[in-house]
Amino acid sequence: LEIAAPTLPTPVYWHDTEGVVLGINALCLKAIGATRDIVGRTPHEFYPKEVADHILSHNEQVIKTGEILSQDEPMRDIATGEVKVFRSVKAPLYDDEGTIIGIIGSSIEITAEKEAEQLKIENAKQKTFIEEEEKFRTLATQVAHDIRSPLMSLLMIVRSCNNIPESASIA
């Protein structure tokens, strides 16, 4: 892995079964804003507890099931503090005897896609709100029209009654 990882065109990392980072390539270091000093440390040593717990829980699932698993992982860039979202795909890491000794993973940043997705949801909500507002406006206009017609008739009758002498009106 130490030889292959630097040549791969994607961020790659590998951890042991305890969550200790065994290796990481330069693309991954750049993506998370870290330096090589995270090798030999667990995510709890460089991420907030909830992020580290999320990562390690996913690692544990991969180790227990022996399956390749994927999940989205929101992370805070170690250098800048900026929140980024990564889609992480992790697979079991085996020794020569076929025993799982950890995980190997690759994480691709999908922050822009997540933001676009959120914007799409907000736009759909806004569109629904505008459509509902338009329906209400149409209904209100129809109600106003429906009320205006009989009121205009009554007003015409009242005006015509102004010419009737008071003695001729019905009490």
Side-chain angles (χ1 to χ4, degrees):
L1 287 172
E2 287 291 339
I3 295 168
T7 65
L8 296 173
T10 183
V12 177
Y13 48 89
W14 54 102
H15 296 201
D16 69 12
T17 56
E18 302 301 314
V20 175
V21 178
L22 299 175
I24 187 167
N25 72 359
L27 288 173
C28 194
L29 289 169
K30 181 179 178 187
I32 64 172
T35 61
R36 285 234 176 253
D37 69 351
I38 69 170
V39 173
R41 297 167 58 197
T42 70
H44 280 112
E45 296 177 71
F46 48 89
Y47 283 126
K49 181 179 179 357
E50 64 278 356
V51 172
D53 287 347
H54 187 71
I55 291 168
L56 293 172
S57 172
H58 191 231
N59 292 2
E60 190 175 312
Q61 281 183 295
V62 172
I63 292 165
K64 282 184 179 179
T65 64
E67 296 178 11
I68 298 172
L69 300 174
S70 165
Q71 77 173 2
D72 293 351
E73 297 176 340
M75 295 188 189
R76 191 167 300 278
D77 185 293
I78 295 170
T80 67
E82 175 188 3
V83 175
K84 299 177 180 180
V85 181
F86 291 87
R87 176 134 318 128
S88 296
V89 179
K90 298 175 184 176
L93 182 61
Y94 297 94
D95 66 11
D96 292 337
E97 286 78 44
T99 303
I100 296 175
I101 59 169
I103 62 98
I104 181 167
S106 180
S107 297
I108 305 295
E109 184 179 357
I110 59 166
T111 305
E113 290 86 345
K114 284 292 191 180
E115 288 171 352
E117 185 179 299
Q118 186 61 36
L119 192 56
K120 187 177 179 181
I121 290 168
E122 289 173 15
N123 285 342
K125 287 180 184 177
Q126 183 68 18
K127 182 180 177 186
T128 301
F129 175 77
I130 290 169
E131 288 169 353
E132 291 298 320
E133 192 175 62
E134 185 58 36
K135 285 179 188 176
F136 179 77
R137 187 176 296 117
T138 300
L139 180 63
T141 301
Q142 185 62 46
V143 168
H145 178 268
D146 291 349
I147 291 173
R148 193 175 303 122
S149 295
L151 286 178
M152 290 303 285
S153 297
L154 286 172
L155 184 58
M156 287 174 58
I157 291 170
V158 168
R159 285 186 183 149
S160 67
C161 290
N162 284 342
N163 298 333
I164 300 175
E166 194 173 314
S167 60
S169 68
I170 303 174

